[in-house]
Amino acid sequence: MKGKVIILVVISIFFLIASICFAESNLYIEYILDSSNSMNEKLAGGELKIDAAKRVLCGLIDNIAAERKDANVGLRIYGAGFDPSMSKEKGCLDSVLVAPIVPIDADLIKQEVMASEATGYTPIAYTLELASKDFPSGEENNNMIVLVSDGKESCGGDPVAVAEQLKTQGYNIKIYSIGFDVDAQTREQLEAIALATDGAYYDAKDADQLKQSLEEIKERTFEVYEAAGEAAEASLWIADAPKIQPGDFKDGIYLHELKFYKTKVYKGQEVKAVMIVKKSPYEAHNNVIYQDFHLQLLDNDFNEVAANNYTVKGITEDLATFKIEWEADETGWVYIAVSASNNHNGEGYPIPPYDRGVIEPSPYTLKVKVSGETAGEVEVPAFGEYGIQKLNGGNSFENAEEIQPDKFITSNIFIKEARFYVMPIEKGLKEIKMAAVIQKPFYEAWNNNINLTYALKIYDEDWIEIGSNNITISLNPPTAQLLALECEIEGNDEIYVSLTASDNHTVKGEIVELYDYNRVDPTNYSLLIIGE
């Protein structure tokens, strides 16, 4: 059975404030070098796999020692002590911790690496079991394993099962696996080992790719992600979304938060938005931890024209990266909505984190690109700016607040509330278009019966309903929701507009009690009325 070289890097990361020194960060690294016989095979360039692995590993150790002198690093080797007179059973127990996990001693580790010979078997499962015991105890430690292999398990063990067991037994271990010039079966096993602990798989065909993979893993485990780009504070209301030019922008987003930007786009141009986000860590009941990050593109009339999302499971160092694209079918503003869900169970049902008050916003980079010809167009009415009226609205027809057309209304509304507005009709105005952009608040209810209905209505001067539309939102999506309405108004001196939010209900409309009404935030909304 084919043996293999495995380099395992176990890194424990504990998030601390920047003023605390690196030695206090509970970071522990163990390199485990597999000196199995198959590592004597040659790569395409003629170099032995074992020699390439030694060279790359020693270079990595030097880099860590230069950049992180207080890093706790150890070394375990298996297969190097095998003798042809040994039985396979004994050879499959050949795994030795040759350097304990202490502040890095680069000379000792490199000496042990270079002295190893590729002679033995490949006991991956057994090595993972031993590796878990090489670290200091403590639930606060988050350990990572980086596995580099040219073959799969050769001693009859089940490394995937061991990895799953380490996870379920509470070992805070994440495995990054690198396939070093591997076949399809080996790749499948290495991928499964990584996925069992929420890790990631890398493929390396030669020494250069092996080095690149190890360096990338080092960077993402040692370095705290920092959003890149220009600082641009987004708005919680689409009405006053900041204008941005194509480029990179950085910010942070809290649980169940929705933010807006806007940029200009001409008909036929392509808009691309890319989000790179680092989920902030938090804990929740039974370690059920899922958070979604969303991107939306809304056109000049607030129609959703593109959307995508990424679900992040558990506490992880991995970045969520995803994008959306749209070819503009008209000239006008395009609104970019960035949002983050609250915690849920993977199917959308709410599982609130333990302490919402101390959860930091997740840092993100938003990359915005607009490409294509403008067809010689210049500034057009589509890029017009609407004024903003910050009006709460009355709670009945009698005390409705007066509004004007072609201006945004920004306010908020609680569950079981109504907002009323009155608008005088100018001569020649025959119809109006209305659009409300809202975000349903997060809350819990019995048996996860979570449905909230918003209704937008228009009344004539005698308070008779002449147009309406509504939307029912289930569970707790953080994304922008659109409620639009068009209506003829000719013959009226004034019209009335209302926005209402229902009580929580089942899909059949039956009222369902919330867990805590006092903790339900109001719905932010932007309402635009355009007269024609």
Side-chain angles (χ1 to χ4, degrees):
M1 184 178 292
K2 184 179 181 181
K4 62 187 177 181
V5 160
I6 302 173
I7 302 170
L8 301 179
V9 182
V10 179
I11 301 176
S12 170
I13 299 177
F14 179 64
F15 289 93
L16 298 177
I17 59 175
S19 60
I20 299 179
C21 70
F22 182 77
E24 296 175 337
S25 66
N26 292 344
L27 173 64
Y28 301 97
I29 307 170
E30 179 172 283
Y31 289 88
I32 303 178
L33 177 61
D34 175 356
S35 291
S36 61
N37 184 59
S38 67
M39 290 301 291
N40 289 309
E41 296 176 359
K42 291 182 179 181
L43 296 167
E47 185 178 21
L48 297 182
K49 290 182 179 179
I50 185 63
D51 292 339
K54 289 180 180 181
R55 175 169 55 81
V56 171
L57 180 56
C58 287
L60 191 69
I61 292 295
D62 280 336
N63 289 342
I64 294 175
E67 299 172 5
R68 302 288 191 175
K69 294 182 180 179
D70 295 322
N72 301 298
V73 179
L75 174 67
R76 172 177 286 276
I77 297 178
Y78 67 81
F82 179 74
D83 184 281
S85 63
M86 290 181 180
S87 65
K88 180 177 180 179
E89 181 180 3
K90 188 173 182 179
C92 285
L93 299 177
D94 177 20
S95 182
V96 181
L97 181 66
V98 296
I101 307 176
V102 295
I104 188 167
D105 184 340
D107 290 338
L108 173 61
I109 294 174
K110 290 192 295 181
Q111 177 182 327
E112 295 293 346
V113 168
M114 296 308 296
S116 64
E117 298 292 336
T119 59
Y121 290 95
T122 310
I124 302 177
Y126 179 65
T127 296
L128 291 178
E129 291 176 355
L130 294 181
S132 68
K133 299 176 177 63
D134 293 337
F135 300 92
S137 61
E139 295 182 357
E140 71 278 9
N141 300 330
N142 295 316
N143 306 312
M144 293 186 182
I145 295 175
V146 180
L147 166 63
V148 181
S149 172
D150 80 325
K152 61 181 190 291
E153 168 75 34
S154 66
C155 288
D158 187 344
V160 178
V162 173
E164 292 173 344
Q165 186 176 24
L166 294 177
K167 192 73 173 178
T168 57
Q169 289 180 344
Y171 290 95
N172 293 324
I173 290 180
K174 174 180 290 188
I175 300 176
Y176 286 161
S177 59
I178 303 176
F180 192 22
D181 191 27
V182 298
D183 57 28
Q185 287 186 336
T186 301
R187 181 182 298 108
E188 183 178 352
Q189 185 180 75
L190 294 176
E191 287 178 334
I193 292 171
L195 290 175
T197 59
D198 300 324
Y201 173 77
Y202 294 77
D203 203 53
K205 296 296 185 183
D206 53 33
D208 288 341
Q209 290 184 4
L210 175 61
K211 178 181 178 181
Q212 180 180 347
S213 298
L214 287 172
E215 286 291 338
E216 182 176 336
I217 294 169
K218 176 180 73 71
E219 289 176 5
R220 68 192 301 175
T221 53
F222 278 99
E223 302 297 333
V224 175
Y225 171 71
E226 293 185 3
E230 176 185 346
E233 186 174 351
S235 173
L236 300 180
W237 284 270
I238 198 171
D240 57 357
K243 293 179 287 187
I244 58 174
Q245 299 293 329
D248 294 356
F249 305 91
K250 64 180 179 180
D251 202 350
I253 191 162
Y254 287 96
L255 271 75
H256 205 78
E257 187 172 44
L258 170 64
K259 292 184 170 185
F260 295 95
Y261 306 86
K262 69 179 180 181
T263 192
K264 294 179 178 180
V265 61
Y266 293 89
K267 183 177 180 179
Q269 287 188 314
E270 183 178 72
V271 183
K272 179 188 295 183
V274 180
M275 190 172 185
I276 303 98
V277 60
K278 170 72 175 297
K279 174 182 170 294
S280 289
Y282 59 79
E283 296 182 342
H285 185 65
N286 291 332
N287 287 320
V288 179
I289 301 174
Y290 291 83
Q291 188 180 14
D292 302 330
F293 296 93
H294 298 258
L295 273 177
Q296 293 171 281
L297 290 182
L298 306 177
D299 67 13
N300 208 54
D301 296 322
F302 308 139
N303 299 304
E304 182 184 272
V305 294
N308 198 4
N309 71 285
Y310 193 107
T311 301
V312 181
K313 179 182 178 182
I315 300 174
T316 176
E317 292 298 296
D318 292 340
L319 299 178
T321 62
F322 56 108
K323 66 181 179 180
I324 49 177
E325 298 175 282
W326 174 60
E327 184 177 317
D329 55 11
E330 64 177 352
T331 296
W333 293 108
V334 60
Y335 296 87
I336 305 164
V338 177
S339 59
S341 75
N342 212 304
N343 189 55
H344 59 87
N345 71 343
E347 297 180 354
Y349 296 108
I351 307 288
Y354 283 143
D355 192 345
R356 301 174 224 186
V358 299
I359 300 172
E360 295 295 325
S362 296
Y364 68 83
T365 294
L366 175 66
K367 303 173 73 69
V368 179
K369 300 179 181 180
V370 178
S371 58
E373 298 295 329
T374 63
E377 294 192 59
V378 293
E379 295 298 307
V380 294
F383 295 133
E385 298 286 350
Y386 296 107
I388 296 177
Q389 306 170 89
K390 295 184 178 180
L391 302 173
N392 289 331
N395 59 9
S396 67
F397 289 106
E398 289 85 350
N399 62 8
E401 283 194 279
E402 184 173 319
I403 58 175
Q404 298 175 356
D406 302 330
K407 286 189 176 181
F408 274 111
I409 302 164
T410 60
S411 188
N412 55 53
I413 184 171
F414 283 93
I415 289 177
K416 300 193 296 184
E417 277 194 333
R419 296 280 188 257
F420 283 83
Y421 301 96
V422 58
M423 187 180 79
I425 302 302
E426 298 177 357
K427 185 177 180 180
L429 199 61
K430 296 182 178 180
E431 63 178 322
I432 61 171
K433 290 183 177 181
M434 302 175 57
V437 179
I438 60 180
Q439 179 198 19
K440 176 189 171 294
F442 175 89
Y443 61 78
E444 298 175 88
W446 294 106
N447 296 323
N448 285 318
N449 283 300
I450 301 173
N451 298 277
L452 189 60
T453 299
Y454 298 89
L456 188 60
K457 296 185 178 183
I458 301 176
Y459 306 84
D460 66 14
E461 59 190 9
D462 297 317
W463 302 352
I464 303 300
E465 182 181 316
I466 57 176
S468 67
N469 195 11
N470 64 74
I471 181 174
T472 298
I473 305 173
S474 299
L475 297 177
N476 294 301
T479 50
Q481 306 287 327
L482 173 67
L483 186 54
L485 178 61
E486 296 183 28
C487 187
E488 293 183 359
I489 58 169
E490 191 173 12
N492 287 279
D493 292 329
E494 61 185 12
I495 61 167
Y496 291 81
V497 175
S498 71
L499 177 66
T500 59
S502 73
D503 201 344
N504 185 60
H505 58 84
T506 67
V507 292
K508 295 182 178 180
E510 301 164 331
I511 302 302
V512 178
E513 184 179 353
L514 303 184
Y515 284 150
D516 189 348
Y517 269 107
N518 295 326
R519 297 195 65 181
V520 180
D521 293 326
T523 298
N524 289 338
Y525 67 86
S526 293
L527 175 62
L528 178 63
I529 303 178
I530 300 175
E532 296 184 346

